[in-house]
Amino acid sequence: MPVQIDEAKTLKSFKALYKHEAEHAENEEEAVWLMVSTFNKIILTKGRPTRIVLKHGCQMPGVHRCLFTKNNQQKHKDLIKEKKIKGVHKVIDLKHLKKQYNTPDSKQKLMEEFDMFMAQKQIINDLYKILGKDVYKKRREPIPMDVYKPDLQKEILRTAKSTYMNFHTGTCYAVKIATTAQSYRIAYENFMSAYQKIIEAVPGGEDNIRSFQIKTANSTSLPVYDANTDYLNAEE
């Protein structure tokens, strides 16, 4: 069934969520999550990492980013310096990542040092084993990118404005689409710019979308779309 988003209802939900956060949050920046529920349980033997470009991104100015590469750490550093690429503050290849960040404490320091992680798309599954499941539980997983794009600066900017989906097993998935440091309208525009790509990334496509809801860690879920009501209303 086609997913039909009621824009007025969606904007109202985002506005209500941000009002709740303004009244109850302790001046801390919170992630805004899109909860994607499916009719059928998705079972994948391997994760399916997908990059979703957002209109405004999820990050504020001053973000420190780290890029993971498969190999040739110095070569990538030199290329970034030579082309005066902006938006990458450190490059680490798999060899040095395994050697320098091989304990829980060193991995924690790495997480604290950077706000965002990007990675050569060919090594996304390798990084899960190296970084450990705790990194992924905290939703700090690296966003895949193509390090060999002719216009590397453009690719980095697109990645910086992206969020990340990785389906494994289950019927509910959380996708970061904004933060409370941004406005509710920016969060709404991020959702509107991305939901079709999110649907395409879900195994089974739009026929498998049960609902979209938004929430923060401190809020209840607010409805954006429900197939059992919105689809029927659209048919009337």
Side-chain angles (χ1 to χ4, degrees):
M1 62 185 73
V3 174
Q4 299 177 327
I5 300 297
D6 183 327
E7 294 185 21
K9 170 186 170 182
T10 300
L11 183 60
K12 185 176 180 180
S13 292
F14 276 99
K15 190 173 183 179
L17 179 65
Y18 273 72
K19 181 179 180 182
H20 173 274
E21 287 299 306
E23 293 173 349
H24 296 91
E26 299 179 354
N27 296 320
E28 292 186 3
E29 180 180 339
E30 293 282 349
V32 177
W33 299 98
L34 175 67
M35 309 304 296
V36 182
S37 296
T38 61
F39 285 108
N40 301 316
K41 185 177 182 179
I42 297 169
I43 301 175
L44 299 174
T45 55
K46 284 187 176 182
R48 183 184 292 182
T50 304
R51 183 179 75 177
I52 305 293
V53 180
L54 302 173
K55 182 175 181 179
H56 302 286
C58 294
Q59 310 207 339
M60 303 300 287
V63 168
H64 275 72
R65 302 182 186 92
C66 177
L67 171 63
F68 297 125
T69 63
K70 184 175 182 178
N71 48 35
N72 299 322
Q73 174 177 300
Q74 192 59 49
K75 178 182 176 181
H76 289 285
K77 286 181 178 180
D78 292 342
L79 180 64
I80 288 172
K81 184 177 180 180
E82 176 189 337
K83 293 191 174 184
K84 299 181 180 179
I85 301 294
K86 297 180 180 179
V88 176
H89 302 90
K90 189 167 186 174
V91 179
I92 307 175
D93 62 21
L94 293 183
K95 175 183 176 181
H96 290 86
L97 182 63
K98 292 176 183 178
K99 182 178 180 180
Q100 298 174 8
Y101 301 95
N102 56 6
T103 66
D105 285 345
S106 61
K107 291 175 185 177
Q108 180 61 35
K109 288 180 180 178
L110 180 65
M111 293 301 110
E112 293 172 354
E113 186 178 354
F114 296 97
D115 304 294
M116 180 181 185
F117 297 93
M118 304 180 289
Q120 186 175 342
K121 61 184 181 180
Q122 290 85 354
I123 64 169
I124 287 294
N125 290 328
D126 297 318
L127 287 172
Y128 182 84
K129 300 174 185 178
I130 297 170
L131 294 174
K133 61 184 179 180
D134 287 342
V135 170
Y136 290 77
K137 284 181 180 179
K138 295 175 183 178
R139 302 311 304 269
R140 298 294 307 282
E141 60 264 60
I143 295 179
M145 62 169 286
D146 186 347
V147 298
Y148 296 109
K149 280 279 189 179
D151 191 339
L152 183 57
Q153 180 67 82
K154 183 177 180 180
E155 174 70 357
I156 287 172
L157 290 176
R158 281 175 58 83
T159 305
K161 291 177 66 175
S162 297
T163 191
Y164 180 89
M165 300 173 63
N166 194 4
F167 292 104
H168 284 282
T169 299
T171 59
C172 188
Y173 305 87
V175 183
K176 184 178 178 180
I177 57 168
T179 75
T180 53
Q182 298 168 302
S183 69
Y184 75 86
R185 185 166 289 277
I186 283 179
Y188 162 78
E189 290 178 358
N190 275 351
F191 167 76
M192 293 302 296
S193 71
Y195 80 87
Q196 287 288 0
K197 294 176 183 177
I198 291 172
I199 291 171
E200 292 170 7
V202 173
E206 60 185 1
D207 288 339
N208 199 21
I209 301 294
R210 180 189 294 274
S211 67
F212 287 143
Q213 297 178 322
I214 55 172
K215 71 183 300 294
T216 66
N218 301 314
S219 76
T220 57
S221 297
L222 297 178
V224 171
Y225 167 80
D226 189 305
N228 294 323
T229 56
D230 292 331
Y231 179 73
L232 293 176
N233 291 338
E235 288 286 293
E236 294 176 355

